[in-house]
Amino acid sequence: MHNPTVNHRPAFLLGSIALAASLMTGLYLNAQEGEMAKKIMMYYGGFEVEEMFDASQWFTQGIYQPRNIEADGSASNVTMLRRQLKPFSAEQLAELPYVLNEAFYLTEHDDIDTSAVIQNPPQLSHRIRYTYSAFAEPNKPEDYYYLYLELEGRKFAVLFSRDALTGGNLTGKNASEVRGDYAAQAAHRQAFSEIAEHERKAR
């Protein structure tokens, strides 16, 4: 006698498998949509501005990545890290002594004489270190660098910014003296060690 149960069992199993696969696909797509909908909100314009904007495109396009510096390991909503840096042109390197002078003028070290660097600038390309990026305005990122120099027998880390899109508009921000063995200046001391080693090998 014909047994319909036996003949329909494979179809039943295939249907069950297809249904399970469909459910799994739906869950995966929903998860993806949830991830895509997640926004990366960032502050801009310095600490005096309390507004945020949706900066997701700068991360999803692979230009920047999160800067995980918070105590709990989460990402900063003020600063970020650039994935690929723009090179400095010869004209921009020649502009750096004036950027340096601007940075010193804005700090307590405005008494430091920078004229020698302006009149007879040293080789500066190996004295630059990228540190982080931030938004000056919504969708207007700036990349920040330190320039390391010794002036009047003292070591200084000079912070300056540049337009992230064009690489231009170099602007001096701050100049801090590197001295002692403070933990907060460990990266600066490492940079000066690398510079000294570079110049030793170049001799």
Side-chain angles (χ1 to χ4, degrees), residues 9-197:
R9 185 172 296 171
F12 173 77
L13 290 174
L14 288 174
S16 299
I17 293 171
L19 177 60
S22 176
L23 290 172
M24 291 298 292
T25 301
L27 290 172
Y28 176 70
L29 289 175
N30 287 337
Q32 277 198 322
E33 288 173 0
E35 291 172 2
M36 292 174 63
K38 184 179 179 182
K39 294 181 180 180
I40 300 178
M41 305 297 292
M42 299 288 288
Y43 286 103
Y44 65 90
F47 293 107
E48 67 276 5
V49 180
E50 297 183 358
E51 296 179 356
M52 303 180 82
F53 79 103
D54 181 5
S56 305
Q57 62 170 321
W58 296 95
F59 296 87
T60 56
Q61 293 176 2
I63 301 174
Y64 291 102
Q65 65 185 32
R67 186 177 182 227
N68 299 316
I69 59 170
E70 299 301 325
D72 61 357
S74 60
S76 170
N77 51 20
V78 176
T79 61
M80 56 207 174
L81 296 175
R82 184 155 189 145
R83 290 183 179 274
Q84 187 171 359
L85 299 175
K86 281 183 170 293
F88 285 85
S89 67
E91 291 78 9
Q92 289 168 340
L93 291 174
E95 185 183 346
L96 279 179
Y98 300 96
V99 175
L100 163 83
N101 187 64
E102 178 182 21
F104 273 100
Y105 180 76
L106 295 172
T107 68
E108 61 183 8
H109 302 299
D110 57 352
D111 60 325
I112 297 294
D113 185 7
T114 60
S115 59
V117 179
I118 294 175
Q119 295 169 6
N120 188 26
Q123 174 60 249
L124 298 176
S125 59
H126 66 288
R127 292 179 169 270
I128 301 170
R129 299 291 187 278
Y130 170 73
T131 181
Y132 59 78
S133 300
F135 288 97
E137 299 176 11
N139 294 314
K140 186 179 180 182
E142 290 181 329
D143 297 333
Y144 285 77
Y145 296 79
Y146 277 109
L147 173 64
Y148 294 94
L149 278 176
E150 293 187 42
L151 295 169
E152 299 183 358
R154 299 157 66 183
K155 295 179 179 179
F156 292 94
V158 181
L159 183 68
F160 69 95
S161 68
R162 68 193 301 209
D163 186 291
L165 298 180
T166 66
N169 193 28
L170 277 61
T171 305
K173 298 292 185 180
N174 186 282
S176 56
E177 186 173 4
V178 181
R179 58 183 178 179
D181 57 355
Y182 302 108
Q185 293 190 332
H188 294 328
R189 292 195 298 273
Q190 177 63 30
F192 273 109
S193 295
E194 293 172 356
I195 292 167
E197 180 63 15

